[in-house]
PDB file of all heavy atoms in Angstrom:
ATOM      1  N   MET A  26       0.856  -1.231  -0.015  1.00 89.00           N
ATOM      2  CA  MET A  26      -0.063   0.022   0.039  1.00 89.00           C
ATOM      3  C   MET A  26       0.798   1.312  -0.049  1.00 89.00           C
ATOM      4  O   MET A  26       0.254   2.276   0.202  1.00 89.00           O
ATOM      5  CB  MET A  26      -0.869   0.048   1.231  1.00 89.00           C
ATOM      6  CG  MET A  26      -1.923  -1.050   1.503  1.00 89.00           C
ATOM      7  SD  MET A  26      -2.688  -0.817   2.983  1.00 89.00           S
ATOM      8  CE  MET A  26      -3.914  -2.059   2.974  1.00 89.00           C
ATOM      9  N   THR A  27       2.121   1.161  -0.233  1.00 83.00           N
ATOM     10  CA  THR A  27       3.105   2.183  -0.113  1.00 83.00           C
ATOM     11  C   THR A  27       3.475   2.325   1.404  1.00 83.00           C
ATOM     12  O   THR A  27       2.801   2.159   2.256  1.00 83.00           O
ATOM     13  CB  THR A  27       2.668   3.620  -0.557  1.00 83.00           C
ATOM     14  OG1 THR A  27       1.697   4.208   0.246  1.00 83.00           O
ATOM     15  CG2 THR A  27       2.143   3.579  -2.021  1.00 83.00           C
ATOM     16  N   ALA A  28       4.753   2.765   1.573  1.00 80.00           N
ATOM     17  CA  ALA A  28       5.260   2.953   2.908  1.00 80.00           C
ATOM     18  C   ALA A  28       4.975   4.392   3.355  1.00 80.00           C
ATOM     19  O   ALA A  28       5.065   5.294   2.545  1.00 80.00           O
ATOM     20  CB  ALA A  28       6.839   2.699   2.914  1.00 80.00           C
ATOM     21  N   PRO A  29       4.686   4.702   4.567  1.00 84.00           N
ATOM     22  CA  PRO A  29       4.586   3.723   5.709  1.00 84.00           C
ATOM     23  C   PRO A  29       3.129   3.276   5.906  1.00 84.00           C
ATOM     24  O   PRO A  29       2.877   2.585   6.829  1.00 84.00           O
ATOM     25  CB  PRO A  29       5.064   4.581   6.881  1.00 84.00           C
ATOM     26  CG  PRO A  29       4.575   5.975   6.523  1.00 84.00           C
ATOM     27  CD  PRO A  29       4.650   6.066   5.026  1.00 84.00           C
ATOM     28  N   LYS A  30       2.189   3.578   4.981  1.00 90.00           N
ATOM     29  CA  LYS A  30       0.779   3.226   5.124  1.00 90.00           C
ATOM     30  C   LYS A  30       0.692   1.708   5.389  1.00 90.00           C
ATOM     31  O   LYS A  30      -0.012   1.254   6.246  1.00 90.00           O
ATOM     32  CB  LYS A  30      -0.043   3.638   3.998  1.00 90.00           C
ATOM     33  CG  LYS A  30      -1.484   3.371   4.157  1.00 90.00           C
ATOM     34  CD  LYS A  30      -2.315   4.128   3.100  1.00 90.00           C
ATOM     35  CE  LYS A  30      -2.378   3.389   1.801  1.00 90.00           C
ATOM     36  NZ  LYS A  30      -3.210   3.907   0.894  1.00 90.00           N
ATOM     37  N   GLN A  31       1.339   0.890   4.622  1.00 93.00           N
ATOM     38  CA  GLN A  31       1.277  -0.462   4.732  1.00 93.00           C
ATOM     39  C   GLN A  31       1.778  -1.089   5.993  1.00 93.00           C
ATOM     40  O   GLN A  31       1.151  -2.088   6.589  1.00 93.00           O
ATOM     41  CB  GLN A  31       2.032  -1.258   3.486  1.00 93.00           C
ATOM     42  CG  GLN A  31       3.478  -1.006   3.566  1.00 93.00           C
ATOM     43  CD  GLN A  31       4.093  -1.270   2.138  1.00 93.00           C
ATOM     44  OE1 GLN A  31       3.434  -1.437   1.208  1.00 93.00           O
ATOM     45  NE2 GLN A  31       5.386  -1.308   2.229  1.00 93.00           N
ATOM     46  N   GLU A  32       2.827  -0.536   6.567  1.00 93.00           N
ATOM     47  CA  GLU A  32       3.251  -0.929   7.831  1.00 93.00           C
ATOM     48  C   GLU A  32       2.340  -0.553   8.951  1.00 93.00           C
ATOM     49  O   GLU A  32       2.102  -1.346   9.811  1.00 93.00           O
ATOM     50  CB  GLU A  32       4.678  -0.421   8.133  1.00 93.00           C
ATOM     51  CG  GLU A  32       5.775  -0.929   7.332  1.00 93.00           C
ATOM     52  CD  GLU A  32       5.882  -0.340   5.869  1.00 93.00           C
ATOM     53  OE1 GLU A  32       5.177   0.681   5.585  1.00 93.00           O
ATOM     54  OE2 GLU A  32       6.733  -0.748   5.072  1.00 93.00           O
ATOM     55  N   LYS A  33       1.818   0.651   8.887  1.00 93.00           N
ATOM     56  CA  LYS A  33       0.930   1.142   9.915  1.00 93.00           C
ATOM     57  C   LYS A  33      -0.427   0.302   9.863  1.00 93.00           C
ATOM     58  O   LYS A  33      -0.917  -0.211  10.816  1.00 93.00           O
ATOM     59  CB  LYS A  33       0.526   2.590   9.703  1.00 93.00           C
ATOM     60  CG  LYS A  33       1.738   3.445  10.058  1.00 93.00           C
ATOM     61  CD  LYS A  33       1.407   4.934   9.795  1.00 93.00           C
ATOM     62  CE  LYS A  33       2.530   5.844  10.078  1.00 93.00           C
ATOM     63  NZ  LYS A  33       2.273   7.230   9.727  1.00 93.00           N
ATOM     64  N   TRP A  34      -0.912   0.041   8.621  1.00 95.00           N
ATOM     65  CA  TRP A  34      -2.145  -0.720   8.454  1.00 95.00           C
ATOM     66  C   TRP A  34      -1.898  -2.178   9.032  1.00 95.00           C
ATOM     67  O   TRP A  34      -2.822  -2.663   9.734  1.00 95.00           O
ATOM     68  CB  TRP A  34      -2.602  -0.791   7.007  1.00 95.00           C
ATOM     69  CG  TRP A  34      -3.880  -1.564   6.897  1.00 95.00           C
ATOM     70  CD1 TRP A  34      -5.156  -0.824   6.940  1.00 95.00           C
ATOM     71  CD2 TRP A  34      -4.187  -2.768   6.711  1.00 95.00           C
ATOM     72  NE1 TRP A  34      -6.140  -1.796   6.859  1.00 95.00           N
ATOM     73  CE2 TRP A  34      -5.588  -3.068   6.641  1.00 95.00           C
ATOM     74  CE3 TRP A  34      -3.333  -3.947   6.624  1.00 95.00           C
ATOM     75  CZ2 TRP A  34      -6.125  -4.340   6.572  1.00 95.00           C
ATOM     76  CZ3 TRP A  34      -3.912  -5.200   6.468  1.00 95.00           C
ATOM     77  CH2 TRP A  34      -5.313  -5.405   6.439  1.00 95.00           C
ATOM     78  N   SER A  35      -0.844  -2.730   8.765  1.00 96.00           N
ATOM     79  CA  SER A  35      -0.515  -4.182   9.142  1.00 96.00           C
ATOM     80  C   SER A  35      -0.519  -4.170  10.658  1.00 96.00           C
ATOM     81  O   SER A  35      -1.039  -5.080  11.252  1.00 96.00           O
ATOM     82  CB  SER A  35       0.793  -4.690   8.549  1.00 96.00           C
ATOM     83  OG  SER A  35       0.708  -4.730   7.136  1.00 96.00           O
ATOM     84  N   LYS A  36       0.214  -3.236  11.296  1.00 96.00           N
ATOM     85  CA  LYS A  36       0.345  -3.214  12.728  1.00 96.00           C
ATOM     86  C   LYS A  36      -1.012  -2.976  13.417  1.00 96.00           C
ATOM     87  O   LYS A  36      -1.369  -3.721  14.385  1.00 96.00           O
ATOM     88  CB  LYS A  36       1.343  -2.118  13.141  1.00 96.00           C
ATOM     89  CG  LYS A  36       1.498  -1.868  14.708  1.00 96.00           C
ATOM     90  CD  LYS A  36       2.368  -0.743  15.047  1.00 96.00           C
ATOM     91  CE  LYS A  36       2.430  -0.546  16.516  1.00 96.00           C
ATOM     92  NZ  LYS A  36       1.250   0.049  17.027  1.00 96.00           N
ATOM     93  N   ASP A  37      -1.703  -2.037  12.820  1.00 95.00           N
ATOM     94  CA  ASP A  37      -3.114  -1.736  13.498  1.00 95.00           C
ATOM     95  C   ASP A  37      -4.145  -2.899  13.314  1.00 95.00           C
ATOM     96  O   ASP A  37      -5.065  -2.999  14.165  1.00 95.00           O
ATOM     97  CB  ASP A  37      -3.683  -0.443  12.818  1.00 95.00           C
ATOM     98  CG  ASP A  37      -2.967   0.756  13.137  1.00 95.00           C
ATOM     99  OD1 ASP A  37      -2.087   0.769  14.122  1.00 95.00           O
ATOM    100  OD2 ASP A  37      -3.102   1.787  12.559  1.00 95.00           O
ATOM    101  N   ASN A  38      -3.996  -3.711  12.305  1.00 97.00           N
ATOM    102  CA  ASN A  38      -4.957  -4.825  11.968  1.00 97.00           C
ATOM    103  C   ASN A  38      -4.480  -6.035  12.230  1.00 97.00           C
ATOM    104  O   ASN A  38      -5.374  -7.098  12.131  1.00 97.00           O
ATOM    105  CB  ASN A  38      -5.473  -4.543  10.535  1.00 97.00           C
ATOM    106  CG  ASN A  38      -6.306  -3.185  10.402  1.00 97.00           C
ATOM    107  OD1 ASN A  38      -7.488  -3.160  10.853  1.00 97.00           O
ATOM    108  ND2 ASN A  38      -5.620  -2.351   9.875  1.00 97.00           N
ATOM    109  N   ALA A  39      -3.244  -6.311  12.624  1.00 97.00           N
ATOM    110  CA  ALA A  39      -2.692  -7.683  12.851  1.00 97.00           C
ATOM    111  C   ALA A  39      -3.496  -8.525  13.806  1.00 97.00           C
ATOM    112  O   ALA A  39      -3.669  -9.774  13.495  1.00 97.00           O
ATOM    113  CB  ALA A  39      -1.228  -7.615  13.256  1.00 97.00           C
ATOM    114  N   HIS A  40      -3.990  -7.927  14.860  1.00 97.00           N
ATOM    115  CA  HIS A  40      -4.723  -8.666  15.883  1.00 97.00           C
ATOM    116  C   HIS A  40      -6.067  -9.181  15.344  1.00 97.00           C
ATOM    117  O   HIS A  40      -6.569 -10.161  15.868  1.00 97.00           O
ATOM    118  CB  HIS A  40      -5.043  -7.913  17.068  1.00 97.00           C
ATOM    119  CG  HIS A  40      -5.867  -6.657  16.859  1.00 97.00           C
ATOM    120  ND1 HIS A  40      -5.515  -5.591  16.157  1.00 97.00           N
ATOM    121  CD2 HIS A  40      -7.206  -6.521  17.111  1.00 97.00           C
ATOM    122  CE1 HIS A  40      -6.518  -4.735  16.201  1.00 97.00           C
ATOM    123  NE2 HIS A  40      -7.566  -5.210  16.667  1.00 97.00           N
ATOM    124  N   GLN A  41      -6.627  -8.719  14.210  1.00 97.00           N
ATOM    125  CA  GLN A  41      -7.842  -9.213  13.569  1.00 97.00           C
ATOM    126  C   GLN A  41      -7.665 -10.179  12.484  1.00 97.00           C
ATOM    127  O   GLN A  41      -8.571 -10.734  11.935  1.00 97.00           O
ATOM    128  CB  GLN A  41      -8.618  -7.912  13.075  1.00 97.00           C
ATOM    129  CG  GLN A  41      -8.982  -6.867  14.114  1.00 97.00           C
ATOM    130  CD  GLN A  41      -9.650  -5.720  13.371  1.00 97.00           C
ATOM    131  OE1 GLN A  41     -10.815  -5.869  13.021  1.00 97.00           O
ATOM    132  NE2 GLN A  41      -8.941  -4.637  13.149  1.00 97.00           N
ATOM    133  N   LEU A  42      -6.319 -10.209  12.061  1.00 97.00           N
ATOM    134  CA  LEU A  42      -6.094 -11.065  10.762  1.00 97.00           C
ATOM    135  C   LEU A  42      -5.774 -12.448  11.092  1.00 97.00           C
ATOM    136  O   LEU A  42      -4.991 -12.734  12.039  1.00 97.00           O
ATOM    137  CB  LEU A  42      -4.897 -10.351   9.989  1.00 97.00           C
ATOM    138  CG  LEU A  42      -5.255  -9.030   9.416  1.00 97.00           C
ATOM    139  CD1 LEU A  42      -3.990  -8.355   9.018  1.00 97.00           C
ATOM    140  CD2 LEU A  42      -6.424  -9.160   8.371  1.00 97.00           C
ATOM    141  N   ASP A  43      -6.466 -13.356  10.389  1.00 96.00           N
ATOM    142  CA  ASP A  43      -6.257 -14.825  10.583  1.00 96.00           C
ATOM    143  C   ASP A  43      -5.108 -15.281   9.636  1.00 96.00           C
ATOM    144  O   ASP A  43      -5.420 -15.988   8.550  1.00 96.00           O
ATOM    145  CB  ASP A  43      -7.486 -15.745  10.295  1.00 96.00           C
ATOM    146  CG  ASP A  43      -8.484 -15.324  11.434  1.00 96.00           C
ATOM    147  OD1 ASP A  43      -8.173 -15.113  12.513  1.00 96.00           O
ATOM    148  OD2 ASP A  43      -9.705 -15.483  11.071  1.00 96.00           O
ATOM    149  N   THR A  44      -3.887 -14.899   9.933  1.00 96.00           N
ATOM    150  CA  THR A  44      -2.696 -15.183   9.007  1.00 96.00           C
ATOM    151  C   THR A  44      -1.538 -15.355   9.909  1.00 96.00           C
ATOM    152  O   THR A  44      -1.529 -14.937  10.995  1.00 96.00           O
ATOM    153  CB  THR A  44      -2.463 -14.173   7.905  1.00 96.00           C
ATOM    154  OG1 THR A  44      -1.443 -14.551   7.061  1.00 96.00           O
ATOM    155  CG2 THR A  44      -2.039 -12.867   8.603  1.00 96.00           C
ATOM    156  N   LYS A  45      -0.660 -16.156   9.521  1.00 94.00           N
ATOM    157  CA  LYS A  45       0.627 -16.545  10.186  1.00 94.00           C
ATOM    158  C   LYS A  45       1.644 -15.433  10.059  1.00 94.00           C
ATOM    159  O   LYS A  45       2.427 -15.144  11.016  1.00 94.00           O
ATOM    160  CB  LYS A  45       1.175 -17.940   9.932  1.00 94.00           C
ATOM    161  CG  LYS A  45       0.126 -19.051  10.221  1.00 94.00           C
ATOM    162  CD  LYS A  45       0.702 -20.402   9.726  1.00 94.00           C
ATOM    163  CE  LYS A  45      -0.329 -21.481   9.944  1.00 94.00           C
ATOM    164  NZ  LYS A  45      -0.334 -22.489   9.039  1.00 94.00           N
ATOM    165  N   THR A  46       1.763 -14.936   8.865  1.00 97.00           N
ATOM    166  CA  THR A  46       2.854 -13.898   8.572  1.00 97.00           C
ATOM    167  C   THR A  46       2.257 -12.806   7.763  1.00 97.00           C
ATOM    168  O   THR A  46       1.478 -13.002   6.834  1.00 97.00           O
ATOM    169  CB  THR A  46       3.971 -14.662   7.762  1.00 97.00           C
ATOM    170  OG1 THR A  46       4.446 -15.809   8.431  1.00 97.00           O
ATOM    171  CG2 THR A  46       5.074 -13.691   7.521  1.00 97.00           C
ATOM    172  N   ILE A  47       2.697 -11.548   8.101  1.00 97.00           N
ATOM    173  CA  ILE A  47       2.347 -10.458   7.282  1.00 97.00           C
ATOM    174  C   ILE A  47       3.694  -9.808   6.689  1.00 97.00           C
ATOM    175  O   ILE A  47       4.549  -9.519   7.537  1.00 97.00           O
ATOM    176  CB  ILE A  47       1.631  -9.423   8.210  1.00 97.00           C
ATOM    177  CG1 ILE A  47       0.282  -9.995   8.777  1.00 97.00           C
ATOM    178  CG2 ILE A  47       1.205  -8.127   7.346  1.00 97.00           C
ATOM    179  CD1 ILE A  47      -0.360  -9.128   9.713  1.00 97.00           C
ATOM    180  N   CYS A  48       3.718  -9.590   5.514  1.00 96.00           N
ATOM    181  CA  CYS A  48       4.903  -8.969   4.872  1.00 96.00           C
ATOM    182  C   CYS A  48       4.388  -7.653   4.178  1.00 96.00           C
ATOM    183  O   CYS A  48       3.618  -7.736   3.190  1.00 96.00           O
ATOM    184  CB  CYS A  48       5.427  -9.884   3.769  1.00 96.00           C
ATOM    185  SG  CYS A  48       6.000 -11.458   4.447  1.00 96.00           S
ATOM    186  N   ALA A  49       5.049  -6.550   4.601  1.00 94.00           N
ATOM    187  CA  ALA A  49       4.733  -5.395   3.899  1.00 94.00           C
ATOM    188  C   ALA A  49       5.818  -5.186   2.807  1.00 94.00           C
ATOM    189  O   ALA A  49       6.926  -5.006   3.011  1.00 94.00           O
ATOM    190  CB  ALA A  49       4.823  -4.099   4.867  1.00 94.00           C
ATOM    191  N   ILE A  50       5.336  -5.291   1.504  1.00 91.00           N
ATOM    192  CA  ILE A  50       6.283  -5.308   0.505  1.00 91.00           C
ATOM    193  C   ILE A  50       6.356  -4.160  -0.623  1.00 91.00           C
ATOM    194  O   ILE A  50       7.160  -4.116  -1.378  1.00 91.00           O
ATOM    195  CB  ILE A  50       6.191  -6.717  -0.372  1.00 91.00           C
ATOM    196  CG1 ILE A  50       4.812  -6.768  -1.025  1.00 91.00           C
ATOM    197  CG2 ILE A  50       6.458  -7.899   0.607  1.00 91.00           C
ATOM    198  CD1 ILE A  50       4.740  -7.962  -1.930  1.00 91.00           C
ATOM    199  N   GLY A  51       5.411  -3.309  -0.455  1.00 81.00           N
ATOM    200  CA  GLY A  51       5.374  -2.095  -1.303  1.00 81.00           C
ATOM    201  C   GLY A  51       5.685  -2.288  -2.736  1.00 81.00           C
ATOM    202  O   GLY A  51       4.845  -2.888  -3.446  1.00 81.00           O
ATOM    203  N   ALA A  52       6.804  -1.716  -3.215  1.00 83.00           N
ATOM    204  CA  ALA A  52       7.051  -1.571  -4.637  1.00 83.00           C
ATOM    205  C   ALA A  52       7.345  -2.950  -5.326  1.00 83.00           C
ATOM    206  O   ALA A  52       7.404  -3.039  -6.514  1.00 83.00           O
ATOM    207  CB  ALA A  52       8.274  -0.674  -4.868  1.00 83.00           C
ATOM    208  N   VAL A  53       7.505  -4.024  -4.546  1.00 87.00           N
ATOM    209  CA  VAL A  53       7.609  -5.351  -5.199  1.00 87.00           C
ATOM    210  C   VAL A  53       6.553  -5.687  -6.195  1.00 87.00           C
ATOM    211  O   VAL A  53       6.872  -6.113  -7.278  1.00 87.00           O
ATOM    212  CB  VAL A  53       7.781  -6.474  -4.098  1.00 87.00           C
ATOM    213  CG1 VAL A  53       7.832  -7.851  -4.650  1.00 87.00           C
ATOM    214  CG2 VAL A  53       8.950  -6.210  -3.214  1.00 87.00           C
ATOM    215  N   PHE A  54       5.331  -5.304  -5.819  1.00 85.00           N
ATOM    216  CA  PHE A  54       4.221  -5.635  -6.835  1.00 85.00           C
ATOM    217  C   PHE A  54       4.451  -4.717  -8.200  1.00 85.00           C
ATOM    218  O   PHE A  54       4.228  -5.240  -9.226  1.00 85.00           O
ATOM    219  CB  PHE A  54       2.959  -5.124  -6.257  1.00 85.00           C
ATOM    220  CG  PHE A  54       2.335  -6.124  -5.113  1.00 85.00           C
ATOM    221  CD1 PHE A  54       1.946  -5.648  -3.995  1.00 85.00           C
ATOM    222  CD2 PHE A  54       2.375  -7.395  -5.320  1.00 85.00           C
ATOM    223  CE1 PHE A  54       1.300  -6.462  -3.026  1.00 85.00           C
ATOM    224  CE2 PHE A  54       1.862  -8.361  -4.400  1.00 85.00           C
ATOM    225  CZ  PHE A  54       1.375  -7.811  -3.186  1.00 85.00           C
ATOM    226  N   ASP A  55       4.896  -3.561  -7.977  1.00 86.00           N
ATOM    227  CA  ASP A  55       5.212  -2.663  -9.058  1.00 86.00           C
ATOM    228  C   ASP A  55       6.247  -3.291  -9.967  1.00 86.00           C
ATOM    229  O   ASP A  55       6.186  -3.274 -11.168  1.00 86.00           O
ATOM    230  CB  ASP A  55       5.510  -1.282  -8.719  1.00 86.00           C
ATOM    231  CG  ASP A  55       4.300  -0.531  -8.096  1.00 86.00           C
ATOM    232  OD1 ASP A  55       3.304  -0.740  -8.515  1.00 86.00           O
ATOM    233  OD2 ASP A  55       4.601   0.127  -7.092  1.00 86.00           O
ATOM    234  N   PHE A  56       7.416  -3.827  -9.334  1.00 87.00           N
ATOM    235  CA  PHE A  56       8.427  -4.446 -10.085  1.00 87.00           C
ATOM    236  C   PHE A  56       7.967  -5.586 -10.927  1.00 87.00           C
ATOM    237  O   PHE A  56       8.305  -5.694 -12.102  1.00 87.00           O
ATOM    238  CB  PHE A  56       9.607  -4.792  -9.161  1.00 87.00           C
ATOM    239  CG  PHE A  56      10.243  -3.579  -8.418  1.00 87.00           C
ATOM    240  CD1 PHE A  56      10.755  -3.809  -7.206  1.00 87.00           C
ATOM    241  CD2 PHE A  56      10.413  -2.422  -9.062  1.00 87.00           C
ATOM    242  CE1 PHE A  56      11.288  -2.735  -6.511  1.00 87.00           C
ATOM    243  CE2 PHE A  56      10.980  -1.251  -8.390  1.00 87.00           C
ATOM    244  CZ  PHE A  56      11.474  -1.445  -7.112  1.00 87.00           C
TER     245      PHE A  56
END
């Protein structure tokens, strides 16, 4: 979601997410 929005969103919502690992990867999708 672009930095630092993706890191903030992941931190704020991690407790609600049913996932083992969260990776904020930003521009990797663009590449």
Side-chain angles (χ1 to χ4, degrees):
M26 297 178 179
T27 72
K30 182 167 79 172
Q31 63 198 11
E32 290 82 7
K33 290 177 181 178
W34 186 90
S35 296
K36 178 184 176 287
D37 291 345
N38 293 282
H40 67 284
Q41 301 176 75
L42 296 168
D43 294 330
T44 185
K45 296 175 182 154
T46 305
I47 302 172
C48 300
I50 63 172
V53 172
F54 288 133
D55 295 321
F56 295 146

